[in-house]
Amino acid sequence: MSGSISSFPVPHKQLSLEIKGNVTDVVICGYDDHFFVIATQIGTMGTILHARKEEGVLTQPTFDVSVIFGKRDEPMLVACARQLIEHISVSGSAKPLVVSLGLKDHSTETLKGIVTAVVENRLW
C-alpha cells in the first residue's frame, strides 16, 4: 500500500492497494465541514453515500447513512459508510462523511479492506 499526503488545495491522502486481485485507488479528503472518501476499482466514482452522526441529549448517538446517487439495493455499501462514520465519531470528530464507492467487487472482504485502508490513513 503506497500513500501520499498533500495539503493543497485540500488536505488529502492518496493511496493504491490490491484487494482480492483488484487494484483499488483511495483518496481521502478533509474539508472544513466534511470528510470525503473515494474508493474505486473502476477508475470512476461509483455510488455516493452521505453518513452523519446524530446525537440526542438523553440517548446514545445514532448514525444515519443515505445513498445520494447510485445503487440503493446494496446494503454492504451502506455498511461500509456506517463503519467509516463510526470510526470518525470514535476519534472525536463530528464532521459528516461523503463516500464514493466504485467497486467491481462488493464482497465483505473488499469492503473491510477499504475501511481498514481508510482508517489507517485517516485525516481525522
Side-chain angles (χ1 to χ4, degrees):
M1 181 174 1
S2 62
S4 61
I5 186 167
S6 179
S7 61
F8 181 81
V10 174
H12 67 280
K13 288 186 179 180
Q14 182 174 342
L15 55 131
S16 186
L17 63 150
E18 189 171 312
I19 302 173
K20 288 185 68 177
N22 292 307
V23 174
T24 307
D25 296 313
V26 179
V27 179
I28 307 160
C29 302
Y31 292 89
D32 287 342
D33 60 345
H34 277 75
F35 291 108
F36 182 42
V37 174
I38 302 170
T40 185
Q41 296 173 333
I42 58 175
T44 63
M45 293 178 67
T47 299
I48 300 174
L49 302 103
H50 183 264
R52 62 189 168 99
K53 177 182 177 180
E54 295 179 350
E55 288 192 79
V57 176
L58 300 174
T59 61
Q60 294 293 325
T62 58
F63 300 94
D64 179 55
V65 179
S66 56
V67 176
I68 299 173
F69 297 110
K71 296 184 177 187
R72 298 185 185 277
D73 60 345
E74 286 286 345
M76 293 305 293
L77 299 182
V78 172
C80 181
R82 181 181 170 86
Q83 283 190 338
L84 289 172
I85 194 64
E86 286 178 4
H87 280 286
I88 290 169
S89 173
V90 166
S91 73
S93 177
K95 289 183 190 178
L97 169 71
V98 176
V99 60
S100 171
L101 298 169
L103 306 174
K104 294 177 183 176
D105 175 23
H106 294 179
S107 70
T108 302
E109 184 180 339
T110 295
L111 295 170
K112 282 182 180 179
I114 290 168
V115 170
T116 300
V118 171
V119 170
E120 288 176 354
N121 292 279
R122 65 183 174 253
L123 291 176
W124 51 87

